[in-house]
Amino acid sequence: MFDWQRLFYDAVIYGLALSLVLTILLAVSGAIALDMFVDNYPPDIKQKYGPMSPRSARMRPYFGALLFLTLFAIPMMGLLALQAERNAAPFLPASAFAVATLFVFNLFDLMILDWLLFCTIQPRMMVLPGTEGMAGYGDYRFHFVGFLKGLGFSVVGGLLIATLWTVCQFLSG
């Protein structure tokens, strides 16, 4: 019988690790080119700021690929640990683990990155030049809608990760 409580505990730990790594990557991308992810800002800020700089446009595919790879790599590492500990990680537990890991990041993104930092504290490293004090920086609803979209990504992404995991297990076994 699978220990579901332990599985979800581990998913929270890997979800927090994912959150930390992605936060570091986002901070580095912001230090290199603050407007790299201007498309993810609220509409009023995006409209006033305009398109991203040519430097950001050049750098974004690399950071996007790194972020995407991280979203898959850390849950896969967690599944490897799960397999090593329990000698098995079939599709259903792998799905639950991957979905929960991505959900933890989605929740961290909403509560810490979006609501606490972006909307409440508003550190200068998140504010695009020329958009200081705009209403979009306090738009909690905008970020909640993004969180709801992220729930779908958590489910679909988790199922894709579990499918990839299961295929890899089948091919290696």
Side-chain angles (χ1 to χ4, degrees), residues 57-71:
R58 281 191 314 272
M59 299 297 295
R60 184 176 173 148
Y62 300 107
F63 273 95
L66 191 55
L67 292 169
F68 187 75
L69 179 64
T70 302
L71 280 167

Side-chain angles (χ1 to χ4, degrees), residues 28-154:
V28 169
S29 72
I32 291 172
L34 181 60
D35 63 339
M36 190 178 304
F37 296 102
V38 68
D39 295 345
N40 297 333
Y41 277 68
D44 63 332
I45 297 169
K46 192 173 12 177
Q47 182 180 6
K48 181 166 184 181
Y49 185 78
M52 74 175 78
S53 67
R55 175 186 171 111
S56 293
R58 281 191 314 272
M59 299 297 295
R60 184 176 173 148
Y62 300 107
F63 273 95
L66 191 55
L67 292 169
F68 187 75
L69 179 64
T70 302
L71 280 167
F72 277 90
I74 290 180
M76 290 294 275
M77 289 169 37
L79 288 170
L80 281 170
L82 186 71
Q83 166 112 4
E85 182 180 310
R86 295 176 180 88
N87 287 334
F91 182 76
L92 185 59
S95 297
F97 178 86
V99 169
T101 300
L102 295 176
F103 173 78
V104 169
F105 168 69
N106 191 38
L107 187 61
F108 179 90
D109 181 53
L110 173 70
M111 303 293 290
I112 305 300
L113 299 180
D114 293 341
W115 283 357
L116 178 64
L117 291 176
F118 190 88
C119 292
T120 306
I121 297 173
Q122 298 177 16
R124 193 167 22 197
M125 65 182 272
M126 293 179 119
V127 177
L128 296 170
T131 65
E132 297 85 355
M134 293 192 69
Y137 286 108
D139 189 349
Y140 292 86
R141 183 182 181 279
F142 172 81
H143 297 286
F144 184 71
V145 169
F147 168 78
L148 294 176
K149 293 175 186 174
L151 291 176
F153 171 80
S154 297

